[in-house]
Structures are given as C-alpha cells and as structure tokens.
Amino acid sequence: MRELRRMVAKSQYSSISTHRISPAEAREKLASVRSEDTTSVDHLVIGAGVVGLAVGRRLSQRTGTSTLVVDKNERLGMETSSRNSEVIHAGIYYPPDSLRTRLCIEGKNALYEYCTRHNVPHKKVGKWVVAQNDAQAEYLHVLEAHCRKIGVPAEIISGSQARRIEPQVHAEKEVLVSPTSGIVDSHSFMAALHGDIVDNGGDLATSSCVVAISADGVGDGTSSGKNRRSAGGYRVLIATNDPDTPFMALSAGVVINAAGLWADRIAGLLVPDITHPWHTRYRLHYAKGRYYMYTPHESSIRVGRLVYPVPDKEITSLGTHLTIDLGGSMRFGPDLEWVSSNTDYSTSNDPALLETTAYSIAQYLPGIGMADLSAAYAGIRPKLQSPGGAFRDFVVQEESADGFPGFINLLGIESPGLTAALAIGRMVDQLV
C-alpha cells in the first residue's frame, strides 16, 4: 500500500487531470503492466460525489480490508453533488416499489440522524406542493394516498389555510404539506463522509482519472464466464497528475462505479464492445437545470419553507421550485434543458430566460418579478430516462449475471440521490 498512500498524498495538491489518452491506448497500457507493478486494494470506488463517499464510508468500516475512493476532479463532490437544491426529500413522488422510494425514505431517516450526530448543518423546514387548478388538486389527493401507503407523513390543507401560514404563497386550490422534508449543507455532509473514510483507514485520491478497466480472471461476459469469482478481481489504470507516476495500475477485488455523470462511460471501459447491452441499457441523458438567486428589486418576499409546483406526469422534473438555505435566503430552480454535454454548466441573465423563469415562479409566488432574479449556478442530472421517456429507476446492480462478479454499477443516481446516499451505501455493502 506504500505506493497507494504516496499517490493519495500527492493527489491532494494537484490540479484536475488533463492527461489525454485514447481508450485503446489505455487498454494496451493496462495490459502491459506487470503484476508486481500493480497496487492491490480490496474496494475501489470510482467517484467522490456524495454517493461514492457514502459507499466508501460504509465499505471502509469493514475490518481488515482496504478502501480507496478516486475522483478525476481536483476536489470531492464538484459535479452533481454540489450543484443541486440541497433538499432532504421525503420520498413522496416515485412508485412505491421503486428503489428511489425505498432508498429515499431509508436515506432520509439515516441522514437526519447522521447530521445530528456529526454536527452537519441541516434543518427540517417542511415542504409544500401547491395546486392551482382542479386537475392539480386531484393529483395532490392521489399523492396523499400514496404517502399513506408508503408510510410518509403528509396532509392536505386548503388554499385559505395556506394563505394564513404563508401570505405571500399562492395556492388557488390546495396544498400538500410534507413535514419531513428539509435542507442540508451538502458540502459539510461530504466533508464529514470523507472524514469517516479517513478515520476508518480508507483513502481518497482526487485528480485521479480512471482510463481503463479489465476483468482479471472473472470471465469475459459470456455464458461460460458468468459467476466465476477470482481473487484478482479487476485491473484498473488511473491517470494522475504526478509527473513521477503519470499512470498507476490497481488490482481491486471489488469495483463500485459511482461516477455520476460519467458512470455510463466508466461502465463502457469494462465492456468496450459497443454492441454490449450496457451501452444502451445504461446510456445517460443530461438534464441541465439552472438556479436563480432571489435579489429583491420589485418585491420583498420571505417564505419559511420549500414550495414546489405539481411535477410533470413522468416526474422528469419536480419543477422550478423555491428553496431556502440555512440562512433563510431564497433561491429558485432548477429549470430543465436537455443538453448533449455533461460539462455545460453555463448560466445566463438573458432577459427572455429570466422572464420565462419568473412567470413559472409567479404561479405560486405572484409577487416575484424578473428583476428579482439573478443567475446563480447550474447543475446537470444524469438521467437514464430519455427526453419524453417513461420513468426510470435508480440502478444499483452487482453485475454477476452479466459475467462481472464484484463489479457494482450505480447509474441514474439523480434526485433524490443526496437524500438516499447513506442508504445506497448500505445497499452496496450488502451486495459486496
């Protein structure tokens, strides 16, 4: 482990990896590495977002094993995990037998407990889903019945009751109240998870980009290779920013693909043949969402809870909602734009965009004007669901059935992934 520790130490001070190598070159380089030049680790987690960190925390608790979490970025959680609403979701929207529902409810309870125990800033502020017409009110009653079925607290109040509680929020018909929703400082949460990994004897290496993966004696994905486990596990080539060691080869008994926006590409490194089913089954689509800060010019508004519109039919988006931070400041978002790039975080104060956003918000917050909004940041959600497509659940899959025992794919972990992170970590631990 000496070489591994040296790589981890150097990674803390290096910039984002800019090393360029083609997939074919990376596979060739990995194949040429001698076994004596390979560093062994029991658990390799690819991706240091909140889910990867939660998985790393859980696996690093295993006595007598080694765990390494790697990320291509300079710091942990630089992508989806730090570009979201920072909401602790109640788990009310998705099918009752889905992983999203189960893991969100389990993760919510674990997250509140974890934040209290580790002094992570958070607050159970509650959430409203507002109905402006009869069809939306009917949806709220269906949603309330769904909440009863899955055991999540919820109640419906009238528009007049809502006005007495939040005079500046408009609900023409009714409001569904979700009292267990909240907010969390996602950066503090990730820092605490990182601290747990280190305290457990695990390691985190940033600026460490996985460029090749090969199965080391576990089979080739054919029927004859299925369910054959090997002590060798997987060989992984990592590009680093260490000029002394630009590449490092690892041998990992278990690999967890928690690469978020890049998870389909990481899966593709193991199965480079584009006809393999993973290339269609696990293809990700990128849903960009912009967030806007409330910078009052035309209004003076203060709201003490989360406020959401009724979502679209396929739950593609929960709508441009109102969130508050731990200081009480308001922001709005995300909107929804399907993009081809998973690195397009551009924002704009384009008047047409601000006007459209202000109109959406004004349905439930009529005092808002476009002059009250300023572009803040954007995030990208890694969706398995295609534009206009039907609901797709989280994928948390140990891939023995496809000939890769000990390789666990986590794909489509978008909302409510932050809330579900600890539960996902527990589930992965059970799969290993």
Side-chain angles (χ1 to χ4, degrees):
M1 294 285 288
R2 183 181 301 169
E3 181 63 22
L4 175 60
R5 300 281 184 184
R6 189 179 71 83
M7 181 191 79
V8 169
K10 286 202 171 188
S11 76
Q12 310 308 314
Y13 303 100
S14 55
S15 59
I16 297 174
S17 176
T18 57
H19 197 100
R20 296 290 182 263
I21 184 171
S22 73
E25 290 173 326
R27 289 194 298 271
E28 184 178 346
K29 183 176 286 291
L30 179 59
S32 69
V33 176
R34 301 175 302 172
S35 59
E36 56 265 34
D37 295 327
T38 301
T39 301
S40 295
V41 64
D42 293 300
H43 313 121
L44 175 65
V45 181
I46 303 171
V50 67
V51 171
L53 292 168
V55 170
R57 168 186 175 268
R58 187 77 183 196
L59 295 180
S60 65
Q61 292 173 348
R62 292 188 167 206
T63 303
T65 67
S66 55
T67 298
L68 173 64
V69 182
V70 298
D71 197 284
K72 65 180 180 58
N73 290 315
E74 182 180 8
R75 297 183 302 278
L76 54 83
M78 288 184 66
E79 296 179 1
T80 306
S81 297
S82 59
R83 294 174 171 273
N84 58 71
S85 302
E86 296 189 301
V87 168
I88 302 175
H89 289 283
I92 65 176
Y93 290 108
Y94 305 106
D97 58 348
S98 67
L99 281 180
R100 284 208 206 188
T101 294
R102 178 167 68 85
L103 294 173
C104 183
I105 295 171
E106 180 184 336
K108 171 190 64 179
N109 296 331
L111 181 55
Y112 278 126
E113 180 183 350
Y114 182 93
C115 289
T116 299
R117 192 168 66 248
H118 290 79
N119 296 314
V120 174
H122 69 290
K123 188 175 183 181
K124 192 181 292 186
V125 296
K127 164 178 152 179
W128 283 5
V129 184
V130 295
Q132 309 296 357
N133 55 47
D134 290 338
Q136 292 182 355
E138 182 180 351
Y139 170 83
L140 292 192
H141 285 270
V142 172
L143 191 58
E144 184 194 29
H146 171 71
C147 290
R148 287 198 302 271
K149 181 177 181 180
I150 61 176
V152 173
E155 66 170 329
I156 289 179
I157 63 174
S158 67
S160 59
Q161 286 177 292
R163 280 189 291 277
R164 287 195 292 271
I165 300 168
E166 292 282 6
Q168 294 175 302
V169 174
H170 175 67
E172 183 69 24
K173 294 296 181 178
E174 293 175 314
V175 170
L176 183 133
V177 180
S178 171
T180 61
S181 299
I183 52 177
V184 62
D185 182 336
S186 61
H187 297 274
S188 295
F189 179 37
M190 288 188 285
L193 293 172
H194 178 206
D196 288 343
I197 292 170
V198 174
D199 289 345
N200 294 337
D203 291 296
L204 170 69
T206 53
S207 299
S208 301
C209 183
V210 173
V211 294
I213 308 173
S214 69
D216 192 3
V218 299
D220 57 5
T222 65
S223 58
S224 62
K226 289 182 180 179
N227 300 317
R228 283 201 291 119
R229 184 174 290 278
S230 158
Y234 297 86
R235 284 158 53 88
V236 180
L237 187 68
I238 295 176
T240 78
N241 272 8
D242 181 354
D244 298 325
T245 312
F247 293 96
M248 183 170 184
L250 297 178
S251 176
V254 172
V255 175
I256 296 91
N257 173 14
L261 289 164
W262 305 86
D264 56 344
R265 303 189 196 187
I266 291 297
L269 294 179
L270 184 58
V271 288
D273 181 355
I274 61 172
T275 65
H276 192 282
W278 287 7
H279 287 271
T280 51
R281 185 192 311 163
Y282 293 155
R283 182 191 173 194
L284 292 175
H285 306 272
Y286 309 127
K288 179 179 177 179
R290 302 174 187 85
Y291 290 83
Y292 300 86
M293 294 303 298
Y294 174 59
T295 52
H297 289 283
E298 296 181 355
S299 64
S300 178
I301 300 171
R302 193 161 186 88
V303 176
R305 67 206 70 232
L306 312 173
V307 181
Y308 282 59
V310 168
D312 63 59
K313 181 180 178 182
E314 299 297 343
I315 321 292
T316 308
S317 169
L318 299 183
T320 302
H321 47 264
L322 180 161
T323 64
I324 54 178
D325 63 22
L326 290 161
S329 298
M330 296 192 308
R331 63 178 181 265
F332 303 92
D335 56 11
L336 174 63
E337 178 188 2
W338 296 98
V339 294
S340 59
S341 169
N342 61 359
T343 59
D344 178 12
Y345 295 111
S346 60
T347 59
S348 172
N349 281 313
D350 175 71
L353 195 58
L354 289 175
E355 183 179 16
T356 299
T357 303
Y359 176 81
S360 297
I361 298 167
Q363 305 309 301
Y364 59 83
L365 204 66
I368 203 81
M370 61 180 288
D372 298 319
L373 303 176
S374 60
Y377 60 95
I380 301 174
R381 287 154 280 176
K383 286 185 172 287
L384 289 165
Q385 178 182 4
S386 61
F391 168 80
R392 291 283 302 275
D393 203 0
F394 287 169
V395 168
V396 181
Q397 183 68 44
E398 198 276 340
E399 300 290 2
S400 287
D402 278 348
F404 299 107
F407 194 93
I408 300 174
N409 272 317
L410 310 181
L411 288 107
I413 311 296
E414 43 153 329
S415 181
L418 173 63
T419 306
L422 292 171
I424 294 172
R426 185 177 299 139
M427 183 176 179
V428 170
D429 186 37
Q430 293 168 348
L431 292 173
V432 170

